[in-house]
Every structure is written in C-alpha cells, then in structure tokens.
C-alpha cells in the first residue's frame, strides 16, 4: 500500500515566530530529507509555496468556520492516502483557546489518518480560579478529548500531558521530547568573534521570550548574581530581551552597564551567542521540562545550564546530572545553585559535556523523525 502523504496542521509556521513554528519547520524538513511528501497548512496571507521541498499552504483564518470550509476543500483535492499531524496548542487555534469547532472538525476527518502532537494540552484548573478560567479549563479538556478520539498516534512533549487524556487513551500517548530549534553546531571562529565583540568578563546568559511568569524570578537571580561579583556580565537573548534589559538598567542603574541584550538574531548568530556564554540561567515557573526549547538550545550546544525542578520536571534531569538543578522554583534556591557552580569553574566543561551527550542520546531531531517513521506508525 502506498505510504500516506504528510499534512502538518499548525497555528504558526516560519516566518511567524514561536517555538511550535520552528519545531514544525524542523520536522517538515526532516521528513522531506527522508524522502517523505510533506504539506504544511498554516494561517497567513493566502498562497501556496514550495519551501525546501515542503509544500506550504497559507489560508487566512484557517481555523475559523469559514477557514475550515476552505481547508476541507483544499485538503480533499490532495491525493490520498493522507496523514494529518496536528501540532496541538489550544491558544494557537483562536477563539480565546476554546475552538471546539476546529477540534470537532479534526475528529470528523475519518477518511484521513489522524495523528496529534500535544505541545500543550489544557488550561490548569483550580477551584479558586475565576469562573472564566474554570470555563477555559473545562473547554480545553473537551477539546483534547475530541482531537484524541480516533487519533491513530498521539505524542506528548512531556509525560504529564498524558494524564489529561481519557484513561483509556493514556497508555497510547508516546513521549517525544522537542529538539532544539537552533543550529546545534557553531563554527569556533564565529564563537570567538562573538566573545571579542562582547568584551571581557564572566558572561552569564538567558534565552527566552520573557513572559511575566519568568521575568520576575529571572530579575531576582540576575541582580543577585551581578551584585555578588563585578566581573560578571549578563547577556539577554530572544524576543523582548532589549526591552527587559532597558527596564532592568533603569531599575538597577549600578548594573546597567553589565546587562546587554541581543534581539532579532539569525538562528546561527543566536546559537553562537549562546555558545559564547560561560553559564546559562534558565528559570521556569513549572520547572525545566522536555517541552522547553530554550533549555534544549543550551543543552545541544554543550553549555553549563542552571535551572530548577518543578511540577512538570521529568526524573531524567536529576538522573542525568546534565544541568545544575535547584530543588524548587524559588529564586533563592536557584541563586544558591548558581553560586555553587560559579565557584567551581572546572565543573562548567564537565556539565556542558553531559548536557551535549544527553541531548544527542535523547532529544536530537533525528530521534523525532525516526519515531514518526517507525514501524508502529505505518499502516498494517
């Protein structure tokens, strides 16, 4: 029987920014390099283009009811058999993360082979949350059940997401960590150039998008580490880094000259700046986990990384000893671990080597592509 053509459904795709955008592009190109036929369906200005062997279809409002009519028509024109691989993030589908019609549409595509990758799955529920948040938590659970129903294969970026699936389906959810979305190798001369441009000092770095839940803890840790040693300097990387650096400089004028930002860097340049760091500081409100592409970027490049354990942290982070891991998500715990690591420069290289080894063995893109092409996913 003929192998199905891949059809990746995603709420974002380059040049649209975002971790799911970059991840989907990596997977699409990885499949093409293995001889697969790949289409991507995403929102954007209307058009169809061939991008490095991937056929990219843009449909305005693709996940709205009118967009779904168009998507249905265009999909049905594509020869079968078809395999739909949904990159699932509730808020990516619009309607304030409550797009039940789209999930029902996906569930109804019974002529297609349906697969789902849950990057995120539900809004957290709490009895003490505002009513609107409780409604959102309930609706996202309905949505997850709809897309899971009838799916031939399901993947989760962290094991905890499987707990939110119907009990009969949890055992079928496959854990597939996300890889780094940046280049995993950087020429040494490029790293050397970045270090020369940055200047002397012990450079600490952070890579992220500076959401509210991370911004506060990061500021506390950053300020403490810089005040403890005048030789230390801090580089902020990623979207929003320039704004955050400016605000931190205004709030802590004595540290302003030692807080630097680099925003809107091309992927290779961004990887080179990460590689130039002595230690990366990566706080996460729910703990480090295998869905965090910002952590994966540092691991892949063999950087010493200070982070923290939390609700979503998998056991492998402590077992592998690949990161310097604070025991909880408090800034104080992270500062303590960071200072311990910074007092032992000889440990930085060893920690980076363990990080790179863990990435190669467990997280690299080729593992994702191999899983997607594995025999368990083929038609019988």
């Amino acid at each position: 029987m003929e192998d199905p053509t891949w059809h990746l459904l995603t709420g974002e795709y380059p040049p649209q920014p975002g971790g799911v955008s970059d991840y989907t592009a990596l997977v699409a190109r990885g499949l093409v390099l293995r001889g697969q036929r790949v289409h991507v369906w995403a929102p954007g200005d209307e058009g169809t283009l061939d991008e490095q062997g991937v056929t990219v279809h843009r449909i305005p409002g693709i996940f709205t009811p009118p967009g779904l009519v168009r998507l249905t028509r265009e999909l049905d024109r594509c020869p079968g058999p078809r395999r739909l691989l949904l990159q699932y993030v509730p808020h990516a589908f619009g309607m304030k993360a409550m797009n039940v019609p789209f999930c029902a549409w996906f569930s109804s595509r019974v002529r297609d082979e349906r697969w789902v990758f849950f990057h995120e799955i539900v809004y957290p529920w709490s009895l003490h949350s505002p009513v609107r948040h409780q409604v959102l938590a309930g609706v996202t659970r309905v949505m997850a059940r709809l897309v899971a129903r009838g799916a031939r294969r399901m993947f989760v970026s962290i094991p905890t997401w499987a707990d939110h699936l119907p009990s009969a389906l949890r055992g079928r959810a496959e854990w597939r960590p996300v890889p780094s979305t940046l280049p995993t190798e950087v020429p040494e001369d490029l790293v050397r150039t970045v270090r020369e441009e940055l200047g002397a000092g012990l450079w600490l770095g952070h890579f992220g998008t500076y959401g509210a839940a991370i911004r506060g803890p990061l500021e506390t840790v950053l300020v403490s580490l810089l005040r403890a040693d005048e030789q230390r300097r801090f580089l902020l990387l990623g979207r929003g880094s320039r704004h955050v650096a400016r605000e931190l400089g205004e709030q802590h004028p004595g540290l302003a000259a030692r807080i630097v930002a680099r925003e809107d860097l091309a992927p290779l340049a961004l990887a080179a700046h990460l590689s130039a760091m002595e230690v990366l500081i990566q706080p996460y409100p729910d703990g480090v986990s295998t869905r965090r592409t910002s952590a994966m970027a540092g691991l892949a490049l063999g950087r010493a990384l200070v982070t923290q354990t939390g609700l979503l942290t998998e056991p492998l982070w402590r077992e592998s000893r690949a990161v310097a891991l604070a025991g909880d998500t408090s800034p104080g715990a992270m500062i303590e671990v960071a200072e311990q690591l910074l007092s032992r420069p000889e440990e930085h290289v060893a920690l980076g080597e363990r990080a790179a080894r863990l990435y190669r063995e467990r997280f690299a893109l080729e593992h994702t592509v191999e899983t997607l092409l594995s025999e368990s996913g083929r038609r019988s």
Side-chain angles (χ1 to χ4, degrees):
M1 181 178 292
E2 182 182 1
D3 285 341
T5 299
W6 294 82
H7 293 267
L8 279 58
L9 306 175
T10 178
E12 57 188 35
Y13 195 78
Q16 295 164 316
V20 174
S21 173
D22 296 336
Y23 171 85
T24 306
L26 281 177
V27 170
R29 289 196 289 270
L31 288 169
V32 166
L33 290 174
R34 293 291 297 272
Q36 302 295 299
R37 301 183 305 278
V38 181
H39 295 251
V40 170
W41 302 84
D45 294 336
E46 184 173 340
T48 300
L49 294 173
D50 182 284
E51 299 179 7
Q52 298 180 294
V54 179
T55 303
V56 181
H57 308 261
R58 305 275 186 181
I59 299 177
I62 188 172
F63 301 121
T64 64
L68 291 176
V69 172
R70 172 75 182 279
L71 176 58
T72 299
R73 183 169 64 246
E74 297 297 327
L75 261 179
D76 289 345
R77 287 176 178 171
C78 296
R82 294 180 294 261
R83 175 179 292 152
L84 309 186
L85 176 54
L86 174 61
Q87 306 299 314
Y88 188 86
V89 183
H91 65 261
F93 307 133
M95 296 181 66
K96 299 182 179 180
M98 295 187 287
N99 196 339
V100 175
F102 167 68
C103 295
W105 173 88
F106 183 79
S107 180
S108 73
R109 296 289 300 183
V110 295
R111 293 185 179 180
D112 298 325
E113 187 178 301
R114 287 156 292 154
W115 294 15
V116 185
F117 190 108
F118 289 103
H119 293 271
E120 298 177 9
I121 189 165
V122 297
Y123 189 84
W125 181 86
S126 170
L127 181 62
H128 306 293
S129 297
V131 172
R132 66 181 184 278
H133 290 171
Q134 295 194 41
V135 171
L136 178 59
V139 172
T140 53
R141 282 158 174 79
V142 171
M143 291 165 60
R145 288 170 178 265
L146 277 172
V147 298
R149 186 177 65 193
R152 176 163 179 174
R153 290 183 82 179
M154 293 178 292
F155 305 92
V156 290
S157 58
I158 57 174
T160 301
W161 289 162
D163 295 341
H164 298 287
L165 294 171
S167 56
L169 299 179
R170 291 171 192 167
R172 292 176 45 213
E174 304 173 47
W175 177 31
R176 184 64 262 154
V178 297
S180 171
T181 55
L182 294 181
T184 57
E185 296 182 1
V186 182
E188 184 54 41
D189 60 340
L190 182 55
V191 178
R192 189 162 48 248
T193 297
V194 170
R195 287 177 177 148
E196 291 171 356
E197 292 175 350
L198 290 174
L202 193 157
W203 280 93
L204 313 177
H206 173 80
F207 173 41
T209 54
Y210 305 93
I214 289 178
R215 163 72 189 276
L218 176 64
E219 178 180 354
T220 301
V221 175
L222 179 156
V223 169
S224 176
L225 295 180
L226 289 184
R227 284 177 173 167
D229 187 340
E230 292 186 356
Q231 299 302 310
R232 296 172 183 170
R233 304 183 73 185
F234 217 107
L235 177 63
L236 303 177
L237 295 165
R239 293 196 312 277
S241 59
R242 190 177 297 115
H243 174 73
V244 171
R246 183 171 59 251
E247 284 196 344
L248 289 175
E250 293 171 353
Q251 294 165 11
H252 308 279
L255 304 177
R258 292 191 282 142
I259 302 174
V260 179
R262 293 288 185 272
E263 195 168 345
D264 301 325
L265 295 174
L268 183 59
L270 178 52
H273 281 75
L274 283 171
S275 297
M277 297 298 97
E278 187 71 19
V279 174
L280 296 176
I281 307 296
Q282 299 291 145
Y284 299 109
D286 45 19
V288 66
S289 66
T290 54
R291 74 186 183 103
R292 295 289 187 178
T293 54
S294 52
M296 292 297 173
L299 290 180
L301 294 166
R303 295 296 86 202
L305 193 151
V306 177
T307 187
Q308 49 201 168
T309 187
L311 181 65
L312 301 183
T313 299
E314 302 92 347
L316 69 85
W317 295 101
R318 188 173 299 281
E319 295 167 356
S320 67
R321 298 172 53 245
V323 297
L325 192 61
D328 59 52
T329 57
S330 68
M334 195 168 190
I335 292 168
E336 181 179 355
V337 169
E339 289 291 5
Q340 289 174 356
L341 178 63
L342 291 169
S343 70
R344 303 194 304 271
E346 69 281 358
E347 175 64 12
H348 300 177
V349 173
L351 189 61
E353 289 175 348
R354 292 196 295 272
R357 183 166 58 250
L358 175 66
Y359 181 83
R360 289 194 305 269
E361 293 176 353
R362 301 292 298 272
F363 306 141
L365 175 63
E366 52 263 33
H367 299 309
T368 297
V369 174
E370 197 61 43
T371 297
L372 293 176
L373 296 177
S374 64
E375 286 300 320
S376 61
R378 296 186 182 277
R379 291 178 176 269
S380 57

